[in-house]
Amino acid sequence: MLLLGLPVLLFALITWQVVADGPLVGVDERLSRALVRPDRLSELLADLGNVQVAVPVLAVALAYVAWHGRARGADRWWLPPLAGALVMALVPALVAPLKAWTDRAGTPAVPPAVGYYPSGHTATALVAYGAATLLLFGAVRSPAVRRVLVVLCALLVLGASYGLVRRGYHWPLDVVASWCLGAVLLAGVWRVAGAGRTARPRPGGGQPK
């Protein structure tokens, strides 16, 4: 609960500062000015948070996890992939109202507009790649492969986050807030995926590979 409480508290603190235009916002804006350097690489990295890129990756992982669970005869094999799909659906359901409520303007690098907090692209990347990684842990036994999955997930999420800030699509706090939001959502996937790993196969089911 402590580990889950930390991102919740940090998200609440950042949101309060954004809404109240607190001193943390001034630090955020100065940091953004120092980091923003739009280029082709930052554009490509930011695209890692696009729904068209991240969600298909999660969909493939969900399909594989469902097939693997059913093939080994696991009880409630459908629950882990369902949890992954649900948290992905929660991203726009949570982010859209927060954007409308906070009404934060974008950086000088983008056309004048509001609704930039929190970062939907960051939340999409973190939840899609993170949920795919957590769920695949139940279908992969090799520690080396698991380490590769974790490193790849981290690179994708950090790459998207860096690209969004570097390109000027988001303020740094927009991205950090979405890390916090995504961490809370992924905690639910981790719990369900962990229960799935300890569940026994049904009698007559296949053995895990």
Side-chain angles (χ1 to χ4, degrees):
M1 290 299 294
L2 178 60
L3 293 178
L4 187 58
L6 289 176
V8 171
L9 289 175
L10 183 56
F11 180 81
L13 171 64
I14 296 173
T15 303
W16 164 57
Q17 286 290 291
V18 168
V19 172
D21 197 21
L24 199 58
V25 171
V27 176
D28 189 38
E29 293 175 349
R30 290 193 295 272
L31 181 60
S32 177
R33 286 194 293 270
L35 292 176
V36 171
R37 297 291 186 278
D39 56 22
R40 180 58 178 165
L41 178 59
S42 62
E43 182 81 31
L44 292 174
L45 290 173
D47 287 345
L48 292 172
N50 284 349
V51 169
Q52 298 90 335
V53 176
V55 172
V57 173
L58 176 60
V60 171
L62 296 181
Y64 178 77
V65 169
W67 170 82
H68 183 271
R70 187 173 183 181
R72 67 189 288 261
D75 288 332
R76 296 186 297 176
W77 56 266
W78 45 267
L79 187 55
L82 177 61
L86 285 177
V87 295
M88 193 70 252
L90 281 174
V91 170
L94 293 173
V95 169
L98 285 167
K99 285 179 175 289
W101 175 53
T102 55
D103 203 35
R104 190 180 194 189
T107 74
V110 295
V114 293
Y116 281 87
Y117 178 91
S119 167
H121 279 68
T122 303
T124 297
L126 180 57
V127 171
Y129 302 134
T133 299
L134 292 176
L135 293 174
L136 286 172
F137 269 26
V140 174
R141 288 186 173 273
S142 169
V145 175
R146 288 182 174 185
R147 285 193 292 270
V148 170
L149 287 174
V150 171
V151 171
L152 182 59
C153 174
L155 289 175
L156 290 172
V157 173
L158 292 176
S161 302
Y162 172 81
L164 290 166
V165 173
R166 187 73 168 178
R167 176 60 181 77
Y169 285 139
H170 278 286
W171 305 99
L173 282 183
D174 301 346
V175 170
V176 175
S178 288
W179 288 349
C180 297
L181 184 62
V184 173
L185 293 175
L186 289 179
V189 177
W190 174 252
R191 187 164 186 174
V192 172
R197 286 194 295 272
T198 58
R200 295 182 178 179
R202 296 192 305 269
Q207 293 299 316
K209 298 179 180 179

